[in-house]
Amino acid sequence: MKIHLTSVFVDDQDKALRFYTDVLGFVKKHDVPLGTDRWLTVVSPEDPEGTELLLEPSGHPAVQPYKTALVQDGIPAASFAVDDVDAEFNRLRELGVHFTQVPLEMGPVTTAVLDDTCGNLIQIVHSK
């Protein structure tokens, strides 16, 4: 068994697609119209057949309280592996990305947490 698809709830799919592709560097995999929303997924360019991230609309009534609680408590909605957290932190800050946690070493891992501009905190992480 392996993870095929996971999702983050986003306030605006177009804005999310721009952030996740133009800023974070993912590539669009699927963009299927579904009424007013879309089945919109991105993947890592390093693994285009790998795990997809669904940029899921936040329309369900339970989503906003959930997202608000996570952000208020500083809990990331997702975690993405990078080769070097410090380098990625610097690259993303130069692009104007807001971080709620600067790179922090915690034993064998280094993490940082960013705001995805769509209502979520996202953690980037690398292991030694």
Side-chain angles (χ1 to χ4, degrees), residues 75-119:
I75 300 171
S79 182
F80 303 141
V82 297
D83 291 332
D84 182 333
V85 167
D86 292 315
E88 196 65 13
F89 171 80
N90 291 327
R91 181 187 79 80
L92 292 172
R93 280 220 332 202
E94 287 179 16
L95 293 172
V97 173
H98 171 71
F99 280 81
T100 61
Q101 178 201 303
V102 298
L104 177 64
E105 266 190 58
M106 296 180 286
V109 300
T110 302
T111 66
V113 178
L114 62 94
D115 179 338
D116 79 349
T117 74
C118 301

Side-chain angles (χ1 to χ4, degrees), residues 7-8 10 13 16-17 20 38 40-42 53-57:
S7 64
V8 291
V10 297
Q13 286 185 301
L17 181 61
Y20 280 79
R38 294 147 45 198
L40 181 60
T41 66
V42 296
L53 178 67
L54 174 63
L55 303 176
E56 190 161 357

